[in-house]
Amino acid sequence: NAMNSNKTYYADDRLNNCCAYCGDFAETEDHVPSRCFLNQPYPQNMPVVPCCHKCNYEFSIDEEYVSCFIDCIKENTVDPHKIQREKTRKTFLHSPKLQERIASQIRDFGEVTIYDYEKDRFKRVIHKLAWGHLAYENDAISWDNQYNVSMWLLQEMSDVQKQLFFKPYIGDLLPEVESRSLLNNFVLISENNNACSFLSQWITVQENRYSYCVSPDSNKVKFVIADCLAVEVDII
């Protein structure tokens, strides 16, 4: 989508013309998450951030791949005629080469399934989602930071692992002044009233399709795609 020159993307309007993903001049805006991860009808007032043409185009190809791969894991099939999710089914029927590519990367050995996914493509999409959430929620623009990624399949996580993953972040530093995260975080005050911390919250973009949580001090982001893949990004 083209940028709206009258739209306020961040509390700090000096960032409004910066691509949230690379820092170049932004000519367009981009949904975070991309609509390929969501079902129609799409939620109203979806998060959007400024984006350059290059990032907008390059990410869309990888996002389609990642979205379809996750849906194949969730539905335990790569057969387009058996996939329940309409968007992925139509994508495979329209692009049989993509379906064949993903089919060759999911190998079922009976009791064990090997997912030989394209790690670079997953990493690019995860980077995009994490940086987009940081930009939108915290006005945090940090294109060159190093980061670590952890991923789990929800179906393979123990109850304790899930409990820890879905626990909101607690931070000692405030998010950026007037940022969305500052307005939405809860303040926790110690019993003797001499210290306080800030509790983040999970934000559901679409039920059963996408939710995310950003730490108040902008060093961690976690999200769940399709109630299947749990991801946490730790920014160094």
Side-chain angles (χ1 to χ4, degrees):
N1 297 335
M3 286 186 65
N4 183 342
S5 59
N6 297 319
K7 187 171 184 177
T8 299
Y9 293 91
Y10 305 119
D12 186 345
D13 58 13
R14 292 173 298 179
L15 303 175
N16 280 346
N17 293 318
C18 295
C19 176
Y21 311 124
C22 72
D24 284 349
F25 182 75
E27 308 97 335
T28 68
E29 65 179 20
D30 188 47
H31 293 97
V32 187
S34 167
R35 286 182 291 190
C36 72
F37 294 111
L38 308 175
N39 291 332
Q40 292 182 314
Y42 298 122
Q44 295 182 345
N45 301 319
M46 282 181 57
V48 293
V49 294
C51 180
C52 68
H53 280 303
K54 183 174 182 291
C55 286
N56 209 337
Y57 172 75
E58 291 182 349
F59 280 126
S60 62
I61 299 172
D62 291 333
E63 285 178 313
E64 181 180 64
Y65 166 81
V66 170
S67 177
C68 289
F69 201 106
I70 293 171
D71 285 334
C72 288
I73 295 175
K74 181 177 182 178
E75 301 198 29
N76 196 31
T77 182
V78 293
D79 186 341
H81 300 289
K82 294 181 180 179
I83 290 176
Q84 297 297 310
R85 188 178 181 226
E86 181 181 10
K87 185 170 292 186
T88 299
R89 184 173 66 251
K90 286 184 175 179
T91 298
F92 278 172
L93 292 173
H94 177 72
S95 179
K97 287 186 177 180
L98 176 61
Q99 187 270 335
E100 292 168 5
R101 187 185 190 103
I102 292 177
S104 70
Q105 297 168 350
I106 299 179
R107 291 174 284 173
D108 188 353
F109 295 96
E111 295 183 359
V112 177
T113 302
I114 302 297
Y115 302 108
D116 190 20
Y117 63 92
E118 297 174 42
K119 295 178 177 59
D120 287 344
R121 301 186 79 177
F122 265 77
K123 186 175 181 179
R124 284 193 292 270
V125 171
I126 288 169
H127 173 277
K128 180 241 176 168
L129 292 169
W131 262 243
H133 293 318
L134 281 172
Y136 183 78
E137 294 294 334
N138 287 13
D139 287 8
I141 309 297
S142 49
W143 307 286
D144 296 328
N145 288 48
Q146 298 296 310
Y147 61 98
N148 296 317
V149 174
S150 301
M151 296 194 301
W152 307 267
L153 292 178
L154 281 180
Q155 64 194 33
E156 297 180 357
M157 295 172 71
S158 67
D159 290 341
V160 172
Q161 287 175 315
K162 289 180 183 178
Q163 185 178 13
L164 289 173
F165 179 80
F166 285 105
K167 185 177 180 180
Y169 290 120
I170 297 178
D172 296 324
L173 298 176
L174 276 171
E176 287 293 320
V177 175
E178 295 186 1
S179 67
R180 294 178 180 86
S181 187
L182 179 62
L183 298 176
N184 293 331
N185 277 297
F186 297 100
V187 179
L188 303 177
I189 302 175
S190 63
E191 291 184 3
N192 54 13
N193 292 325
N194 64 358
C196 63
S197 54
F198 306 93
L199 180 67
S200 63
Q201 63 175 323
W202 277 89
I203 296 173
T204 299
V205 179
Q206 188 174 62
E207 199 72 35
N208 301 320
R209 287 303 309 174
Y210 198 98
S211 58
Y212 68 92
C213 184
V214 176
S215 67
D217 46 9
S218 301
N219 64 353
K220 289 186 178 182
V221 185
K222 50 189 174 183
F223 44 91
V224 179
I225 303 173
D227 270 358
C228 176
L229 185 69
V231 180
E232 183 166 38
V233 178
D234 188 358
I235 300 168
I236 303 170

